[in-house]
mmCIF file of all heavy atoms in Angstrom:
data_model
loop_
_atom_site.group_PDB
_atom_site.id
_atom_site.type_symbol
_atom_site.label_atom_id
_atom_site.label_comp_id
_atom_site.label_asym_id
_atom_site.label_seq_id
_atom_site.Cartn_x
_atom_site.Cartn_y
_atom_site.Cartn_z
ATOM 1 N N GLY A 1112 12.137 2.506 7.424
ATOM 2 C CA GLY A 1112 13.272 3.386 7.746
ATOM 3 C C GLY A 1112 13.522 4.410 6.736
ATOM 4 O O GLY A 1112 13.797 5.610 7.040
ATOM 5 N N LYS A 1113 13.487 4.056 5.435
ATOM 6 C CA LYS A 1113 13.729 5.031 4.367
ATOM 7 C C LYS A 1113 12.453 5.746 3.912
ATOM 8 O O LYS A 1113 12.548 6.740 3.184
ATOM 9 C CB LYS A 1113 14.324 4.269 3.166
ATOM 10 C CG LYS A 1113 15.690 3.650 3.445
ATOM 11 C CD LYS A 1113 16.230 2.925 2.218
ATOM 12 C CE LYS A 1113 17.556 2.314 2.486
ATOM 13 N NZ LYS A 1113 18.116 1.629 1.268
ATOM 14 N N ARG A 1114 11.295 5.255 4.374
ATOM 15 C CA ARG A 1114 9.984 5.793 4.050
ATOM 16 C C ARG A 1114 9.799 5.836 2.512
ATOM 17 O O ARG A 1114 9.321 6.832 2.006
ATOM 18 C CB ARG A 1114 9.855 7.168 4.710
ATOM 19 C CG ARG A 1114 9.845 7.058 6.235
ATOM 20 C CD ARG A 1114 9.714 8.399 6.873
ATOM 21 N NE ARG A 1114 9.680 8.311 8.292
ATOM 22 C CZ ARG A 1114 9.607 9.328 9.154
ATOM 23 N NH1 ARG A 1114 9.435 10.548 8.686
ATOM 24 N NH2 ARG A 1114 9.611 9.112 10.522
ATOM 25 N N GLU A 1115 10.087 4.769 1.860
ATOM 26 C CA GLU A 1115 9.929 4.629 0.470
ATOM 27 C C GLU A 1115 8.929 3.565 0.162
ATOM 28 O O GLU A 1115 8.818 2.551 0.906
ATOM 29 C CB GLU A 1115 11.269 4.340 -0.263
ATOM 30 C CG GLU A 1115 12.323 5.378 -0.074
ATOM 31 C CD GLU A 1115 13.640 4.990 -0.730
ATOM 32 O OE1 GLU A 1115 13.867 3.784 -0.950
ATOM 33 O OE2 GLU A 1115 14.509 5.918 -0.943
ATOM 34 N N THR A 1116 8.142 3.719 -0.892
ATOM 35 C CA THR A 1116 7.122 2.692 -1.304
ATOM 36 C C THR A 1116 7.368 2.341 -2.781
ATOM 37 O O THR A 1116 7.821 3.151 -3.567
ATOM 38 C CB THR A 1116 5.735 3.171 -1.092
ATOM 39 O OG1 THR A 1116 5.515 4.404 -1.837
ATOM 40 C CG2 THR A 1116 5.448 3.523 0.388
ATOM 41 N N TYR A 1117 6.948 1.141 -3.117
ATOM 42 C CA TYR A 1117 7.032 0.618 -4.492
ATOM 43 C C TYR A 1117 5.757 -0.116 -4.804
ATOM 44 O O TYR A 1117 5.170 -0.814 -3.983
ATOM 45 C CB TYR A 1117 8.258 -0.312 -4.608
ATOM 46 C CG TYR A 1117 9.563 0.352 -4.185
ATOM 47 C CD1 TYR A 1117 9.975 0.217 -2.876
ATOM 48 C CD2 TYR A 1117 10.369 0.992 -5.062
ATOM 49 C CE1 TYR A 1117 11.171 0.761 -2.431
ATOM 50 C CE2 TYR A 1117 11.510 1.631 -4.704
ATOM 51 C CZ TYR A 1117 11.955 1.480 -3.360
ATOM 52 O OH TYR A 1117 13.095 2.062 -2.965
ATOM 53 N N TYR A 1118 5.309 -0.037 -6.047
ATOM 54 C CA TYR A 1118 4.036 -0.673 -6.514
ATOM 55 C C TYR A 1118 4.203 -1.356 -7.882
ATOM 56 O O TYR A 1118 5.003 -0.891 -8.772
ATOM 57 C CB TYR A 1118 2.982 0.373 -6.652
ATOM 58 C CG TYR A 1118 2.596 1.068 -5.283
ATOM 59 C CD1 TYR A 1118 3.255 2.251 -4.946
ATOM 60 C CD2 TYR A 1118 1.713 0.494 -4.455
ATOM 61 C CE1 TYR A 1118 2.931 2.874 -3.741
ATOM 62 C CE2 TYR A 1118 1.357 1.127 -3.282
ATOM 63 C CZ TYR A 1118 1.999 2.332 -2.899
ATOM 64 O OH TYR A 1118 1.717 2.946 -1.735
ATOM 65 N N ALA A 1119 3.473 -2.468 -8.011
ATOM 66 C CA ALA A 1119 3.406 -3.066 -9.302
ATOM 67 C C ALA A 1119 2.650 -2.143 -10.241
ATOM 68 O O ALA A 1119 1.777 -1.391 -9.843
ATOM 69 C CB ALA A 1119 2.625 -4.401 -9.173
ATOM 70 N N ASP A 1120 3.012 -2.162 -11.507
ATOM 71 C CA ASP A 1120 2.335 -1.340 -12.518
ATOM 72 C C ASP A 1120 0.846 -1.522 -12.547
ATOM 73 O O ASP A 1120 0.122 -0.555 -12.787
ATOM 74 C CB ASP A 1120 2.902 -1.601 -13.904
ATOM 75 C CG ASP A 1120 4.329 -1.128 -14.013
ATOM 76 O OD1 ASP A 1120 4.800 -0.280 -13.226
ATOM 77 O OD2 ASP A 1120 5.042 -1.565 -15.020
ATOM 78 N N SER A 1121 0.369 -2.730 -12.250
ATOM 79 C CA SER A 1121 -1.051 -3.056 -12.393
ATOM 80 C C SER A 1121 -1.910 -2.357 -11.280
ATOM 81 O O SER A 1121 -3.077 -2.217 -11.421
ATOM 82 C CB SER A 1121 -1.279 -4.549 -12.341
ATOM 83 O OG SER A 1121 -0.769 -5.090 -11.127
ATOM 84 N N VAL A 1122 -1.258 -1.919 -10.175
ATOM 85 C CA VAL A 1122 -1.989 -1.351 -9.091
ATOM 86 C C VAL A 1122 -1.571 0.101 -8.764
ATOM 87 O O VAL A 1122 -2.219 0.776 -7.956
ATOM 88 C CB VAL A 1122 -1.843 -2.149 -7.770
ATOM 89 C CG1 VAL A 1122 -2.269 -3.603 -8.009
ATOM 90 C CG2 VAL A 1122 -0.446 -2.064 -7.194
ATOM 91 N N LYS A 1123 -0.559 0.591 -9.421
ATOM 92 C CA LYS A 1123 -0.067 1.914 -9.198
ATOM 93 C C LYS A 1123 -1.120 3.023 -9.386
ATOM 94 O O LYS A 1123 -1.805 2.958 -10.422
ATOM 95 C CB LYS A 1123 1.188 2.225 -10.074
ATOM 96 C CG LYS A 1123 1.904 3.503 -9.655
ATOM 97 C CD LYS A 1123 3.211 3.614 -10.433
ATOM 98 C CE LYS A 1123 4.044 4.838 -10.009
ATOM 99 N NZ LYS A 1123 5.342 4.921 -10.785
ATOM 100 N N GLY A 1124 -1.281 3.876 -8.444
ATOM 101 C CA GLY A 1124 -2.331 4.920 -8.534
ATOM 102 C C GLY A 1124 -3.690 4.504 -7.930
ATOM 103 O O GLY A 1124 -4.539 5.345 -7.733
ATOM 104 N N ARG A 1125 -3.836 3.183 -7.626
ATOM 105 C CA ARG A 1125 -5.065 2.688 -7.039
ATOM 106 C C ARG A 1125 -4.870 2.170 -5.604
ATOM 107 O O ARG A 1125 -5.784 2.270 -4.833
ATOM 108 C CB ARG A 1125 -5.635 1.594 -7.911
ATOM 109 C CG ARG A 1125 -5.999 2.015 -9.350
ATOM 110 C CD ARG A 1125 -6.751 0.943 -10.121
ATOM 111 N NE ARG A 1125 -5.970 -0.278 -10.267
ATOM 112 C CZ ARG A 1125 -6.282 -1.488 -9.778
ATOM 113 N NH1 ARG A 1125 -7.354 -1.619 -8.999
ATOM 114 N NH2 ARG A 1125 -5.504 -2.516 -9.951
ATOM 115 N N PHE A 1126 -3.682 1.580 -5.375
ATOM 116 C CA PHE A 1126 -3.434 0.964 -4.055
ATOM 117 C C PHE A 1126 -2.410 1.847 -3.329
ATOM 118 O O PHE A 1126 -1.637 2.514 -3.939
ATOM 119 C CB PHE A 1126 -2.810 -0.439 -4.186
ATOM 120 C CG PHE A 1126 -3.725 -1.483 -4.708
ATOM 121 C CD1 PHE A 1126 -5.007 -1.172 -5.248
ATOM 122 C CD2 PHE A 1126 -3.408 -2.841 -4.660
ATOM 123 C CE1 PHE A 1126 -5.849 -2.146 -5.695
ATOM 124 C CE2 PHE A 1126 -4.253 -3.820 -5.114
ATOM 125 C CZ PHE A 1126 -5.497 -3.430 -5.633
ATOM 126 N N ALA A 1127 -2.480 1.777 -1.973
ATOM 127 C CA ALA A 1127 -1.484 2.515 -1.132
ATOM 128 C C ALA A 1127 -1.041 1.633 0.038
ATOM 129 O O ALA A 1127 -1.933 1.186 0.802
ATOM 130 C CB ALA A 1127 -2.076 3.808 -0.652
ATOM 131 N N ILE A 1128 0.237 1.451 0.195
ATOM 132 C CA ILE A 1128 0.755 0.609 1.317
ATOM 133 C C ILE A 1128 1.200 1.654 2.379
ATOM 134 O O ILE A 1128 1.747 2.721 2.086
ATOM 135 C CB ILE A 1128 1.889 -0.270 0.883
ATOM 136 C CG1 ILE A 1128 2.296 -1.184 1.984
ATOM 137 C CG2 ILE A 1128 3.081 0.531 0.343
ATOM 138 C CD1 ILE A 1128 3.355 -2.245 1.592
ATOM 139 N N SER A 1129 1.021 1.247 3.675
ATOM 140 C CA SER A 1129 1.428 2.096 4.781
ATOM 141 C C SER A 1129 1.685 1.245 6.004
ATOM 142 O O SER A 1129 1.411 0.041 6.006
ATOM 143 C CB SER A 1129 0.315 3.163 5.065
ATOM 144 O OG SER A 1129 -0.879 2.556 5.459
ATOM 145 N N GLU A 1130 2.203 1.844 7.030
ATOM 146 C CA GLU A 1130 2.416 1.132 8.299
ATOM 147 C C GLU A 1130 2.212 2.095 9.489
ATOM 148 O O GLU A 1130 2.413 3.297 9.383
ATOM 149 C CB GLU A 1130 3.848 0.552 8.372
ATOM 150 C CG GLU A 1130 4.990 1.512 8.065
ATOM 151 C CD GLU A 1130 5.399 2.356 9.221
ATOM 152 O OE1 GLU A 1130 5.107 1.940 10.401
ATOM 153 O OE2 GLU A 1130 6.045 3.364 9.037
ATOM 154 N N ASP A 1131 1.770 1.513 10.607
ATOM 155 C CA ASP A 1131 1.573 2.215 11.840
ATOM 156 C C ASP A 1131 2.424 1.652 12.929
ATOM 157 O O ASP A 1131 2.188 0.527 13.418
ATOM 158 C CB ASP A 1131 0.101 2.194 12.258
ATOM 159 C CG ASP A 1131 -0.220 3.103 13.415
ATOM 160 O OD1 ASP A 1131 0.557 3.161 14.316
ATOM 161 O OD2 ASP A 1131 -1.365 3.655 13.421
ATOM 162 N N TYR A 1132 3.506 2.291 13.301
ATOM 163 C CA TYR A 1132 4.466 1.752 14.273
ATOM 164 C C TYR A 1132 3.796 1.543 15.636
ATOM 165 O O TYR A 1132 4.024 0.501 16.282
ATOM 166 C CB TYR A 1132 5.669 2.704 14.352
ATOM 167 C CG TYR A 1132 6.676 2.223 15.385
ATOM 168 C CD1 TYR A 1132 7.591 1.165 14.979
ATOM 169 C CD2 TYR A 1132 6.767 2.772 16.609
ATOM 170 C CE1 TYR A 1132 8.494 0.762 15.901
ATOM 171 C CE2 TYR A 1132 7.741 2.294 17.558
ATOM 172 C CZ TYR A 1132 8.586 1.269 17.194
ATOM 173 O OH TYR A 1132 9.520 0.813 18.045
ATOM 174 N N ALA A 1133 3.011 2.507 16.097
ATOM 175 C CA ALA A 1133 2.329 2.414 17.375
ATOM 176 C C ALA A 1133 1.430 1.158 17.501
ATOM 177 O O ALA A 1133 1.349 0.523 18.524
ATOM 178 C CB ALA A 1133 1.601 3.678 17.680
ATOM 179 N N GLU A 1134 0.759 0.844 16.379
ATOM 180 C CA GLU A 1134 -0.176 -0.273 16.343
ATOM 181 C C GLU A 1134 0.466 -1.566 15.869
ATOM 182 O O GLU A 1134 -0.120 -2.615 15.901
ATOM 183 C CB GLU A 1134 -1.346 0.038 15.465
ATOM 184 C CG GLU A 1134 -2.232 1.224 15.988
ATOM 185 C CD GLU A 1134 -2.928 0.902 17.276
ATOM 186 O OE1 GLU A 1134 -3.196 -0.282 17.537
ATOM 187 O OE2 GLU A 1134 -3.148 1.850 18.040
ATOM 188 N N GLN A 1135 1.755 -1.465 15.435
ATOM 189 C CA GLN A 1135 2.471 -2.643 14.893
ATOM 190 C C GLN A 1135 1.661 -3.359 13.803
ATOM 191 O O GLN A 1135 1.425 -4.551 13.853
ATOM 192 C CB GLN A 1135 2.813 -3.616 16.037
ATOM 193 C CG GLN A 1135 3.932 -3.107 16.974
ATOM 194 C CD GLN A 1135 5.302 -3.066 16.229
ATOM 195 O OE1 GLN A 1135 5.903 -4.117 16.015
ATOM 196 N NE2 GLN A 1135 5.691 -1.879 15.822
ATOM 197 N N THR A 1136 1.156 -2.489 12.849
ATOM 198 C CA THR A 1136 0.341 -3.006 11.776
ATOM 199 C C THR A 1136 0.682 -2.368 10.437
ATOM 200 O O THR A 1136 0.994 -1.159 10.470
ATOM 201 C CB THR A 1136 -1.175 -2.678 12.100
ATOM 202 O OG1 THR A 1136 -1.537 -3.225 13.368
ATOM 203 C CG2 THR A 1136 -2.101 -3.297 11.020
ATOM 204 N N MET A 1137 0.668 -3.122 9.396
ATOM 205 C CA MET A 1137 0.861 -2.560 8.074
ATOM 206 C C MET A 1137 -0.456 -2.706 7.320
ATOM 207 O O MET A 1137 -1.286 -3.604 7.609
ATOM 208 C CB MET A 1137 1.997 -3.239 7.289
ATOM 209 C CG MET A 1137 1.852 -4.707 7.111
ATOM 210 S SD MET A 1137 3.280 -5.465 6.221
ATOM 211 C CE MET A 1137 3.014 -4.838 4.607
ATOM 212 N N TYR A 1138 -0.695 -1.800 6.327
ATOM 213 C CA TYR A 1138 -1.962 -1.759 5.664
ATOM 214 C C TYR A 1138 -1.820 -1.770 4.167
ATOM 215 O O TYR A 1138 -0.730 -1.379 3.626
ATOM 216 C CB TYR A 1138 -2.732 -0.515 6.045
ATOM 217 C CG TYR A 1138 -2.957 -0.387 7.521
ATOM 218 C CD1 TYR A 1138 -2.086 0.369 8.319
ATOM 219 C CD2 TYR A 1138 -4.035 -0.980 8.137
ATOM 220 C CE1 TYR A 1138 -2.289 0.485 9.654
ATOM 221 C CE2 TYR A 1138 -4.295 -0.855 9.445
ATOM 222 C CZ TYR A 1138 -3.427 -0.130 10.278
ATOM 223 O OH TYR A 1138 -3.649 -0.007 11.612
ATOM 224 N N LEU A 1139 -2.857 -2.115 3.481
ATOM 225 C CA LEU A 1139 -2.929 -1.983 2.017
ATOM 226 C C LEU A 1139 -4.286 -1.436 1.641
ATOM 227 O O LEU A 1139 -5.312 -2.100 1.753
ATOM 228 C CB LEU A 1139 -2.749 -3.298 1.271
ATOM 229 C CG LEU A 1139 -2.689 -3.205 -0.245
ATOM 230 C CD1 LEU A 1139 -1.443 -2.450 -0.709
ATOM 231 C CD2 LEU A 1139 -2.754 -4.592 -0.889
ATOM 232 N N GLU A 1140 -4.357 -0.095 1.343
ATOM 233 C CA GLU A 1140 -5.634 0.499 0.884
ATOM 234 C C GLU A 1140 -5.774 0.232 -0.589
ATOM 235 O O GLU A 1140 -4.938 0.509 -1.419
ATOM 236 C CB GLU A 1140 -5.565 1.996 1.104
ATOM 237 C CG GLU A 1140 -5.568 2.466 2.590
ATOM 238 C CD GLU A 1140 -6.972 2.621 3.094
ATOM 239 O OE1 GLU A 1140 -7.934 2.268 2.391
ATOM 240 O OE2 GLU A 1140 -7.124 3.116 4.207
ATOM 241 N N MET A 1141 -6.936 -0.388 -0.968
ATOM 242 C CA MET A 1141 -7.206 -0.761 -2.348
ATOM 243 C C MET A 1141 -8.414 0.034 -2.798
ATOM 244 O O MET A 1141 -9.492 -0.090 -2.240
ATOM 245 C CB MET A 1141 -7.408 -2.248 -2.476
ATOM 246 C CG MET A 1141 -6.256 -3.076 -1.966
ATOM 247 S SD MET A 1141 -6.460 -4.834 -2.229
ATOM 248 C CE MET A 1141 -7.879 -5.195 -1.186
ATOM 249 N N ASN A 1142 -8.289 0.829 -3.837
ATOM 250 C CA ASN A 1142 -9.283 1.605 -4.427
ATOM 251 C C ASN A 1142 -9.510 1.321 -5.906
ATOM 252 O O ASN A 1142 -8.671 0.720 -6.554
ATOM 253 C CB ASN A 1142 -8.996 3.144 -4.235
ATOM 254 C CG ASN A 1142 -8.748 3.554 -2.803
ATOM 255 O OD1 ASN A 1142 -7.606 3.993 -2.494
ATOM 256 N ND2 ASN A 1142 -9.719 3.397 -1.960
ATOM 257 N N SER A 1143 -10.644 1.686 -6.446
ATOM 258 C CA SER A 1143 -10.955 1.475 -7.873
ATOM 259 C C SER A 1143 -10.674 0.045 -8.216
ATOM 260 O O SER A 1143 -10.041 -0.256 -9.269
ATOM 261 C CB SER A 1143 -10.196 2.427 -8.722
ATOM 262 O OG SER A 1143 -10.502 3.727 -8.409
ATOM 263 N N LEU A 1144 -11.177 -0.925 -7.421
ATOM 264 C CA LEU A 1144 -10.912 -2.316 -7.600
ATOM 265 C C LEU A 1144 -11.468 -2.869 -8.929
ATOM 266 O O LEU A 1144 -12.534 -2.472 -9.350
ATOM 267 C CB LEU A 1144 -11.406 -3.124 -6.440
ATOM 268 C CG LEU A 1144 -10.574 -3.050 -5.204
ATOM 269 C CD1 LEU A 1144 -11.375 -3.508 -3.932
ATOM 270 C CD2 LEU A 1144 -9.294 -3.852 -5.344
ATOM 271 N N LYS A 1145 -10.674 -3.739 -9.535
ATOM 272 C CA LYS A 1145 -11.067 -4.413 -10.798
ATOM 273 C C LYS A 1145 -11.233 -5.873 -10.594
ATOM 274 O O LYS A 1145 -10.667 -6.462 -9.568
ATOM 275 C CB LYS A 1145 -10.047 -4.117 -11.864
ATOM 276 C CG LYS A 1145 -9.722 -2.683 -12.102
ATOM 277 C CD LYS A 1145 -8.534 -2.549 -13.087
ATOM 278 C CE LYS A 1145 -8.225 -1.044 -13.330
ATOM 279 N NZ LYS A 1145 -7.047 -0.954 -14.197
ATOM 280 N N ALA A 1146 -11.945 -6.582 -11.444
ATOM 281 C CA ALA A 1146 -12.095 -8.028 -11.348
ATOM 282 C C ALA A 1146 -10.768 -8.743 -11.343
ATOM 283 O O ALA A 1146 -10.625 -9.765 -10.603
ATOM 284 C CB ALA A 1146 -12.991 -8.549 -12.529
ATOM 285 N N GLU A 1147 -9.789 -8.243 -12.026
ATOM 286 C CA GLU A 1147 -8.519 -8.882 -12.102
ATOM 287 C C GLU A 1147 -7.683 -8.712 -10.809
ATOM 288 O O GLU A 1147 -6.638 -9.384 -10.647
ATOM 289 C CB GLU A 1147 -7.645 -8.382 -13.288
ATOM 290 C CG GLU A 1147 -7.575 -6.879 -13.373
ATOM 291 C CD GLU A 1147 -8.590 -6.279 -14.319
ATOM 292 O OE1 GLU A 1147 -9.771 -6.740 -14.303
ATOM 293 O OE2 GLU A 1147 -8.210 -5.370 -15.114
ATOM 294 N N ASP A 1148 -8.237 -7.966 -9.848
ATOM 295 C CA ASP A 1148 -7.594 -7.840 -8.544
ATOM 296 C C ASP A 1148 -8.002 -8.975 -7.650
ATOM 297 O O ASP A 1148 -7.407 -9.086 -6.538
ATOM 298 C CB ASP A 1148 -7.939 -6.521 -7.869
ATOM 299 C CG ASP A 1148 -7.371 -5.283 -8.574
ATOM 300 O OD1 ASP A 1148 -6.168 -5.368 -9.044
ATOM 301 O OD2 ASP A 1148 -8.114 -4.296 -8.757
#
């Protein structure tokens, strides 16, 4: 509703959360993955 996102410091700049209302699905795009992920 507010279209705001929040991230843990450990993933900020690498991960992106989003949602698709039409598909009733939320997503987590994960890039530059590290072993600690």
Side-chain angles (χ1 to χ4, degrees):
K1113 297 181 179 180
R1114 297 179 179 180
E1115 297 176 342
T1116 58
Y1117 305 89
Y1118 297 92
D1120 290 341
S1121 60
V1122 306
K1123 191 172 184 178
R1125 300 188 297 118
F1126 291 12
I1128 187 171
S1129 62
E1130 53 82 20
D1131 187 324
Y1132 180 77
E1134 296 295 331
Q1135 288 290 284
T1136 305
M1137 59 182 291
Y1138 303 95
L1139 184 68
E1140 290 272 8
M1141 304 185 294
N1142 305 118
S1143 301
L1144 284 163
K1145 305 174 181 179
E1147 51 263 43
D1148 293 319

